[in-house]
Amino acid sequence: MHATEALPRPSSSRRRNRAGTIAVAALAAAALAAGGVALTNAYFTSQATVTGESVSAGTVVLSAGTASTSAPIDVDGLLPGDTASTVITVSNTGTEDLYFSAGDFALTGDTTLQDALQITVGDTTTSYTASLTEWSTGSLDGFALAAGDSTDITVTLELPATAGDELQGLDAGFSITFDATQQRNVPSPAPTFS
């Protein structure tokens, strides 16, 4: 029988070197594999641009003034039972259809007369009557106006026949505000005073 010689065992520092070499080789192989994957994931791409798109916002513009066939209300010596009227032309000078309201009167003068005066505001389809005082905090909604169109709003003032002597010599004045909003994307307002 042959005697087998035992091979000397590598020293512990050699074993560490060999383990380090294996670890470095494994890391290098992993890095190469990752780089190889990255290279194989390249894709063809393309891009196209469409030009010529543009946006222009519409305009909602309302103008109002005393109609050419009318004059502002200007009454001296108003007595119970008297009325006076004016016609206001409201125009949509913007590019879009709109809804508008009339009201929110700015008042001057004596509050006692303001409470007594009855004011009717409206067109041929929608109108409302309230005291001048009520009009200072309310408005009539429900008017519509196409772009480029105009309409006439009649304002009638009345001192009721039942007015008392305490109103003699008093005066009052007012101005009317017209507010507009776009029609598109807005629910149609019902003719209401609020």
Side-chain angles (χ1 to χ4, degrees):
M1 234 170 114
H2 286 103
T4 53
E5 243 177 67
L7 294 174
R9 286 189 87 170
S11 69
S12 63
S13 64
R14 257 183 148 172
R15 279 188 297 227
R16 273 186 264 142
N17 282 345
R18 187 180 300 163
T21 303
I22 292 172
V24 168
L27 285 173
L32 181 61
V37 169
L39 292 177
T40 61
N41 280 340
Y43 298 109
F44 291 145
T45 63
S46 179
Q47 186 178 60
T49 302
V50 177
T51 62
E53 309 300 325
S54 68
V55 175
S56 175
T59 59
V60 174
V61 182
L62 187 71
S63 65
T66 304
S68 60
T69 58
S70 188
I73 295 173
D74 186 13
V75 179
D76 285 327
L78 187 69
L79 297 173
D82 283 350
T83 63
S85 294
T86 188
V87 177
I88 298 171
T89 299
V90 179
S91 301
N92 180 351
T93 57
T95 61
E96 304 301 319
D97 297 347
L98 57 80
Y99 298 119
F100 73 92
S101 64
D104 296 319
F105 289 24
L107 307 181
T108 60
D110 296 294
T111 57
T112 305
L113 183 57
Q114 293 168 4
D115 291 342
L117 289 171
Q118 295 296 299
I119 309 293
T120 302
V121 176
D123 61 8
T124 57
T125 61
T126 302
S127 67
Y128 189 80
T129 302
S131 74
L132 186 54
T133 303
E134 290 173 290
W135 279 105
S136 71
T137 58
S139 62
L140 179 59
D141 298 320
F143 299 104
L145 201 53
D149 283 354
S150 296
T151 191
D152 287 334
I153 301 295
T154 301
V155 178
T156 303
L157 172 148
E158 178 186 10
L159 182 59
T162 57
D165 287 340
E166 71 278 5
L167 301 178
Q168 292 186 58
L170 301 181
D171 64 354
F174 61 93
S175 58
I176 305 169
T177 300
F178 294 89
D179 289 310
T181 189
Q182 69 189 41
Q183 275 191 24
R184 191 168 61 235
N185 303 320
V186 174
S188 177
T192 55
F193 180 82
S194 58

